[in-house]
Amino acid sequence: PCNLSGWWENDLGSKMQVFKVGNDGTFSGEYHTAVSSAKNPIQPSPLVGSQHLDEDGQCTFGFAVNWKKFSDSTAVFVGQCFSGDDGKEVLHTSWLLREKVNSETDDWKATR
């Protein structure tokens, strides 16, 4: 079965550490992004999430990252863990990033 605990790295060099997945599937950790449009220096950011604990090990999961240490934005990720024929676990994710805007009329440009 797929175990999200530990370190993960994506194609852009961002890293995520999941501390421990509880018996109910909840987890926390830190996200170390390698890319940002923020003016402040990048810092590790807290994440919280939940994993669907499937017996076949190819579970779905989701987590939110609060970039509060260097940006006024929040990101959410959803994905699935796959176990390849070589036994290596791979995560496939999609994400949304919400940036703070100054007015409701600017809402259209706040999510990517």
Side-chain angles (χ1 to χ4, degrees):
C2 190
N3 182 356
L4 291 181
S5 296
W7 283 95
W8 297 89
E9 184 172 357
N10 71 15
D11 298 340
L12 299 174
S14 296
K15 296 177 183 176
M16 170 178 77
Q17 182 182 18
V18 175
F19 299 138
K20 180 184 176 188
V21 178
N23 291 336
D24 61 354
T26 59
F27 60 89
S28 64
E30 282 188 333
Y31 200 94
H32 302 247
T33 187
V35 294
S36 173
S37 61
K39 294 177 179 112
N40 297 324
I42 295 172
Q43 296 185 39
S45 299
L47 68 83
V48 294
S50 183
Q51 174 181 353
H52 195 288
L53 302 173
D54 290 339
E55 288 184 18
D56 67 3
Q58 301 193 111
C59 62
T60 59
F61 60 90
F63 60 92
V65 179
N66 184 337
W67 309 110
K68 66 184 177 182
K69 294 182 177 183
F70 67 94
S71 175
D72 287 333
S73 61
T74 303
V76 292
F77 295 76
V78 293
Q80 184 172 349
C81 182
F82 295 94
S83 296
D85 293 336
D86 60 359
K88 185 177 179 182
E89 296 170 342
V90 177
L91 306 181
H92 287 265
T93 62
S94 297
W95 56 270
L96 288 172
L97 176 77
R98 176 64 187 217
E99 295 179 302
K100 183 174 130 180
V101 291
N102 294 325
S103 68
E104 186 178 358
T105 56
D106 287 335
D107 184 61
W108 66 272
K109 64 180 180 179
T111 304
R112 50 184 163 126

